[in-house]
Amino acid sequence: MSKRILIAEDESIIRMDLKMTLQDHGYEVVGEAGDGDRAIELAFLHKPDLILMDIKMPKMNGLKASRIIGEQLDIPILIITAYSQKEFVEKAQQDSVVGYLVKPISEANLIPAIEVALHQSSKAKRLKDSIQHAKQQVEKRKVVERAKGILMSTEHLTEQQAFKKMRDTSMSRQMTMESLAMEIIDLHK
Ligand SMILES: [Mg+2]
C-alpha cells in the first residue's frame, strides 16, 4: 500500500511541485494545507503516514502546528525550512519532528528524507508495539499466578497441582489460562 502524505505549505507553486514529485514516486498525497490551522485539521482527518510541514505559513506557523499535532497523533513530521531558519528549528526540538529539509527542495533531497523518516517511524512503532505486548504478557502472567495462589490455598494444592488443574481445565473448556484465571479470581472475591 502506498504511503499517505499530507503537505502543509503556503506557497502554492512549491506545494504543487512537492505533490507531483511525491506522486511520481508512488506516494499518495492525502491532503494539502496552505496554513497551520488547516494542517492540524487535515492531520486529524486523514491521519497520514507522514507530514511535510513548512514553517512560515499564515494563521499558525508550522512549528506550532507540529507541536499540537505531535501532542495527540503519532505522525512523523518533516519540516520544510528556509536556510535562515535552520538553527531555529534545531533548537525547537520536538519528538514528532523527524527531520528538516532546507529550501529549495530538490527531488534528490526530498525522496531519501521521506524514506528515512518513514522507515524510522515504522521501526519506532514496532518497538512500541513489542513493549506493549511484553507488558500485556506480564499482566497475563500475574493474573495466572494470582489464580494459582487462590487454588493452592482454597483447595490445599501444591503449586504444581494448582497449575496442572488450571491447565487441564483451560484445555477441556477450551479457554485461555488468563480467562480461566480471571474466572477463578472473580469466584473468590
Ligand atoms: Mg511558507
Side-chain angles (χ1 to χ4, degrees):
M1 219 173 71
S2 64
K3 292 289 183 181
R4 303 161 64 252
I5 298 179
L6 168 65
I7 304 172
E9 163 64 65
D10 62 328
E11 287 168 73
S12 56
I13 293 176
I14 298 181
R15 201 165 65 224
M16 232 155 55
D17 200 35
L18 289 170
K19 184 182 181 179
M20 272 162 48
T21 308
L22 291 173
Q23 286 174 337
D24 280 350
H25 284 80
Y27 293 109
E28 184 190 348
V29 175
V30 288
E32 294 172 65
D35 62 67
D37 285 355
R38 186 81 179 131
I40 295 172
E41 227 177 277
L42 292 180
F44 279 88
L45 181 67
H46 295 298
K47 304 209 170 57
D49 295 307
L50 182 133
I51 301 172
L52 273 179
M53 181 84 81
D54 181 31
I55 292 190
K56 228 173 155 216
M57 288 189 291
K59 290 188 188 170
M60 186 189 292
N61 77 52
L63 284 180
K64 199 168 171 201
S66 297
R67 198 171 58 239
I68 292 169
I69 293 166
E71 276 166 9
Q72 291 187 54
L73 298 175
D74 197 8
I75 300 173
I77 298 173
L78 264 179
I79 293 285
I80 301 171
T81 164
Y83 187 72
S84 57
Q85 298 159 333
K86 206 176 137 186
E87 242 177 282
F88 175 55
V89 180
E90 283 172 335
K91 276 183 200 144
Q93 276 199 8
Q94 295 175 27
D95 286 348
S96 51
V97 173
V98 293
Y100 62 89
L101 288 159
V102 178
K103 286 182 192 176
I105 298 165
S106 68
E107 185 173 333
N109 295 332
L110 178 66
I111 300 305
I114 286 186
E115 278 168 9
V116 168
L118 285 171
H119 180 72
Q120 281 176 348
S121 100
S122 78
K123 230 165 71 178
K125 271 186 194 128
R126 275 204 304 276
L127 183 66
K128 225 187 205 173
D129 285 350
S130 78
I131 290 170
Q132 182 65 23
H133 180 73
K135 271 190 193 155
Q136 283 169 353
Q137 291 304 109
V138 169
E139 282 311 307
K140 281 181 188 171
R141 215 169 301 147
K142 272 191 205 159
V143 171
V144 171
E145 285 301 309
R146 210 172 126 200
K148 199 170 70 182
I150 292 171
L151 286 186
M152 285 163 69
S153 66
T154 57
E155 301 188 21
H156 308 291
L157 301 175
T158 66
E159 190 177 350
Q160 239 177 350
Q161 288 168 331
F163 184 76
K164 187 175 183 308
K165 180 165 184 176
M166 283 179 69
R167 202 188 48 201
D168 292 348
T169 309
S170 75
M171 283 203 305
S172 68
R173 288 179 56 193
Q174 294 188 320
M175 63 201 295
T176 63
M177 284 286 264
E178 307 92 69
S179 0
L180 175 65
M182 285 194 304
E183 206 180 277
I184 294 169
I185 293 166
D186 269 348
L187 275 173
H188 293 83
K189 254 179 189 160

